[in-house]
Amino acid sequence: MPDERTDTNRRPIRTPSIGRSRSVRDRAAPVGKRVGPPAFVFVVLLAAWQAAVVVTGLPTLILPSPTDVATALLETYPTLLGDAVVTGVTAAAGLLAGGLVGFALAFGMTYSRTATRTLVPYVVALRIAPLIAVAPLLFLWFGRGIPARALLVATLTVFPMTIAALDGLRETPAPYLDLADSVGASRLETFLFVRVPVAAPSVVAGFKIAATLSVIGAVVAEFVTLRAGLGYRVFDTATYLETAETYAALVVLSALGVGFYLVPVALERLLWSASER
């Protein structure tokens, strides 16, 4: 029952306290369901890690405790933050380039079977080629800066973006295309207003895969170039047996990868909410 009181005119006045508290609970419940299980697993893993260190008695050089890693993270966070920016910029630039190229290739292959037969083998071959083998060639031709590293990331992300976009664009129902033809829509208008909305779920799925691969590609590029970035920091600290610092860099790298994955997840939810309106 709502909490009510009566004024001088004997009209019921509803106090908003109960409704507001229910609204807060209703909003917090879904967040708790999403965050609760991963947080619980995280705590269990930390406890198991700490117990393994205590039981085995391994030195910090081999297996640092979570406390050691947290201390190293606090001591080196300014350096790790700068490295994360470099890795993030490299991964984002490569992801953007790979996405644009992949979508352009998918557009061409959607309207031309000859283009499909010609381009798909090269896209697949680019993905199959070992990244560590392609990297020295790209750095020999384009240098070792962020643009060259972003280009390496693009070679890794163009495949999932191309295939996902191509599959989505080709799944457009024939009645939709017939309707577009009946109103005199041009090929570009049909592509933008019919094919692209239908292909959006498939494109977002490819974006999720490409987003995580972009961070991997950036780390590989930093391993090869041994310049700034989280990949370089992991290599450098491991070389000098600074194990706790290595784990700290891996923690930041994992957080960066999760952040990149959450971008297409947020985009997907935005598209769903827009479609439901």
Side-chain angles (χ1 to χ4, degrees):
M1 296 293 294
D3 182 18
E4 297 181 349
R5 66 175 182 271
T6 307
D7 61 6
T8 57
N9 294 326
R10 315 297 290 178
R11 293 177 181 176
I13 300 176
R14 188 185 303 270
T15 58
S17 58
I18 296 178
R20 187 180 298 114
S21 63
R22 288 178 179 174
S23 177
V24 172
R25 282 200 304 268
D26 292 341
R27 294 179 181 178
V31 176
K33 290 180 180 179
R34 290 196 299 267
V35 177
F40 174 76
V41 172
F42 179 73
V43 172
V44 170
L45 290 176
L46 284 182
W49 182 2
Q50 182 67 40
V53 172
V54 172
V55 171
T56 59
L58 292 173
T60 304
L61 182 66
I62 298 176
L63 182 63
S65 67
T67 305
D68 295 329
V69 175
T71 301
L73 187 60
L74 291 175
E75 291 176 349
T76 61
Y77 82 90
T79 301
L80 292 177
L81 184 60
D83 291 331
V85 170
V86 173
T87 303
V89 169
T90 303
L95 178 61
L96 178 61
L100 291 176
V101 172
F103 206 72
L105 292 176
F107 172 77
M109 288 187 285
T110 299
Y111 290 103
S112 174
R113 294 192 177 276
T114 301
T116 302
R117 290 192 294 267
T118 303
L119 296 175
V120 166
Y122 291 100
V123 174
V124 174
L126 187 64
R127 180 63 187 91
I128 293 175
L131 197 64
I132 198 67
V134 176
L137 296 176
L138 292 179
F139 297 144
L140 178 64
W141 297 334
F142 303 103
R144 293 174 175 263
I146 289 181
R149 282 179 270 170
L151 182 60
L152 181 66
V153 174
T155 64
L156 190 63
T157 59
V158 69
F159 174 79
M161 292 301 297
T162 301
I163 300 303
L166 180 61
D167 289 344
L169 292 171
R170 284 184 171 176
E171 289 177 358
T172 305
Y176 291 11
L177 300 177
D178 294 338
L179 179 61
D181 290 338
S182 67
V183 297
S186 65
R187 178 170 293 187
L188 180 60
E189 290 173 335
T190 301
F191 178 79
L192 292 177
F193 300 112
V194 179
R195 289 188 181 272
V196 170
V198 172
S202 181
V203 173
V204 171
F207 189 18
K208 290 179 182 179
I209 299 173
T212 54
L213 289 177
S214 66
V215 178
I216 296 173
V219 171
V220 171
E222 292 161 0
F223 272 143
V224 176
T225 59
L226 294 180
R227 299 276 181 98
L230 289 173
Y232 164 72
R233 191 63 53 195
V234 170
F235 181 88
D236 184 64
T237 54
T239 300
Y240 292 99
L241 300 180
E242 298 172 346
T243 312
E245 287 76 6
T246 302
Y247 275 69
L250 289 174
V251 169
V252 177
L253 181 59
S254 299
L256 181 65
V258 171
F260 265 70
Y261 176 77
L262 290 178
V263 171
V265 170
L267 177 61
E268 184 178 41
R269 289 179 179 174
L270 182 63
L271 292 175
W272 281 350
S273 61
S275 64
E276 290 175 354
R277 293 175 185 175

